[in-house]
Amino acid sequence: MVSADITAQDSRPAEGAREQGWTGRGWLILISLVIGVIIAVLWSADLVDDDIGVNAANGILGHDSLTTNITGSLAGIAFAFVTGLAGTFTACNVAAFSAIAPLMEEAPSAMTRAKAALRPLLWLSIGLIVVAAVYGAIAATLGTSIPQLSNTVVDGIMPARFLQAVIAFGLIGLIFVYLGLATAGIVPDPMRRATERFRYAPQLLMGALIGGFLIGRPYPLFYKTFEYAASTHDGAYGALVFVLVSLGNIVLMGVLFLLLSMTRFPQWLTASPSRAAKFTAVALLIGGAFTIAYWVVRLPANFGIGWFPHMPWS
């Protein structure tokens, strides 16, 4: 689905997949899902959230990002962007990298490809900004009454904010998996008609999904940003702060995407509709499987709900 604008030769890779009939398509789907689950099993939140994320924020801000108070609106704005940047590789955001493949476009030269790459990246950012701004405005207006800031423990087992994370990331993960299956031609493409009318509709959707990560994110630095925005009860400020967090989340992804666009990777990827569809489907399925396994299965298991393999380092 989301690879609809990857190639000029076939604007619907999912259909190209059906027509050409992938060899071993079922195995490719199964392996992609298994890889996503394995990553969720091996993932170390302590390493990514604390050793990388928090320490990176400390280095950028020049102080302890978790214990130092946010002293004003401008400080809150700076903290929000740093929070997003530091959270690039957290479990909340890692599925965003599934969007790189659907953004690729072919062009004759490296510089032309780089310029062309800015268009899908812009539309992805617009989708992200809309969702982040709306949620930020609502969250700041409602203040601490929103479940994501609640200290309430549901049924004496799981904090409400983690339950919200399970629901939000579970839905996003399911959408990623469905889009991957649609790209593989297994299920109907929900974006087919929209893409026929506007070629960047898939990028808008991907941006909206990435912006939706904020709806469930329990990352400590984001929680601190959220608390400060909520304390202002200013919808406009909340929208701005949440947008900056989301933009910070995709900065490194955007840089990586632009660098890849200047290599021969887009030419290789778009050499055939089948290859483009396979690569996109794999990226989406891995991202979706990871998101579901980590947030819907592993997180509840940490509170004694169900079971999930526990690694010594996680």
Side-chain angles (χ1 to χ4, degrees):
M1 184 288 298
V2 290
S3 56
D5 66 332
I6 288 180
T7 173
Q9 297 139 341
D10 187 339
S11 64
R12 290 179 304 223
E15 289 192 0
R18 290 193 193 95
E19 293 167 1
Q20 298 186 20
W22 296 359
T23 301
R25 178 167 51 180
W27 281 108
L28 187 67
I29 292 170
L30 178 61
I31 291 171
S32 300
L33 295 174
V34 170
I35 290 174
V37 174
I38 290 174
I39 295 174
V41 172
L42 300 177
W43 193 265
S44 173
D46 290 337
L47 171 64
V48 178
D49 291 6
D50 299 331
D51 295 344
I52 296 178
V54 174
N55 287 337
N58 292 347
I60 296 172
L61 294 171
H63 57 71
D64 191 316
S65 55
L66 286 177
T67 60
T68 303
N69 292 329
I70 298 175
T71 55
S73 296
L74 291 178
I77 289 173
F79 191 88
F81 184 76
V82 171
T83 292
L85 190 61
T88 298
F89 296 105
T90 62
C92 311
N93 195 61
V94 69
F97 286 87
S98 301
I100 287 181
L103 296 177
M104 289 295 174
E105 294 189 0
E106 170 59 343
S109 68
M111 289 307 298
T112 304
R113 288 195 296 273
K115 290 179 181 178
L118 293 175
R119 291 194 295 270
L121 193 60
L122 172 63
W123 285 107
L124 180 140
S125 299
I126 290 173
L128 174 152
I129 288 170
V130 169
V131 173
V134 170
Y135 185 60
I138 294 173
T141 302
L142 293 178
T144 55
S145 62
I146 199 164
Q148 205 166 349
L149 293 179
S150 173
N151 292 318
T152 302
V153 177
V154 181
D155 293 333
I157 300 175
M158 180 184 292
R161 63 179 181 274
F162 287 114
L163 180 58
Q164 182 172 330
V166 170
I167 296 171
F169 283 107
L171 289 173
I172 291 173
L174 285 173
I175 294 173
F176 268 82
V177 169
Y178 187 91
L179 295 179
L181 293 175
T183 304
I186 301 298
V187 297
D189 182 354
M191 292 293 291
R192 177 179 171 181
R193 291 185 179 179
T195 304
E196 289 173 348
R197 296 179 180 179
F198 178 59
R199 65 179 307 211
Y200 293 113
Q203 281 66 50
L204 277 171
L205 175 61
M206 290 301 298
L209 291 173
I210 295 172
F213 291 168
L214 298 184
I215 298 175
R217 173 166 283 177
Y219 182 46
L221 289 178
F222 176 63
Y223 185 83
K224 182 176 179 179
T225 301
F226 200 149
E227 278 193 313
Y228 182 78
S231 71
T232 67
H233 292 283
D234 184 338
Y237 182 75
L240 174 62
V241 165
F242 276 47
V243 166
L244 288 174
V245 171
S246 283
L247 290 176
N249 282 161
I250 66 167
V251 166
L252 293 181
M253 183 197 78
V255 170
L256 176 59
F257 165 61
L258 290 174
L259 291 175
L260 280 175
S261 71
M262 298 177 70
T263 68
R264 297 189 65 83
F265 178 71
Q267 292 174 307
W268 172 84
L269 183 65
T270 60
S272 72
S274 176
R275 179 180 298 168
K278 286 179 182 178
F279 194 91
T280 302
V282 166
L284 290 168
L285 290 169
I286 290 176
F290 167 82
T291 302
I292 294 171
Y294 187 92
W295 293 103
V296 180
V297 185
R298 175 171 166 169
L299 178 59
N302 291 339
F303 295 92
I305 304 173
W307 178 86
F308 197 81
H310 180 77
M311 297 294 105
W313 57 82
S314 61

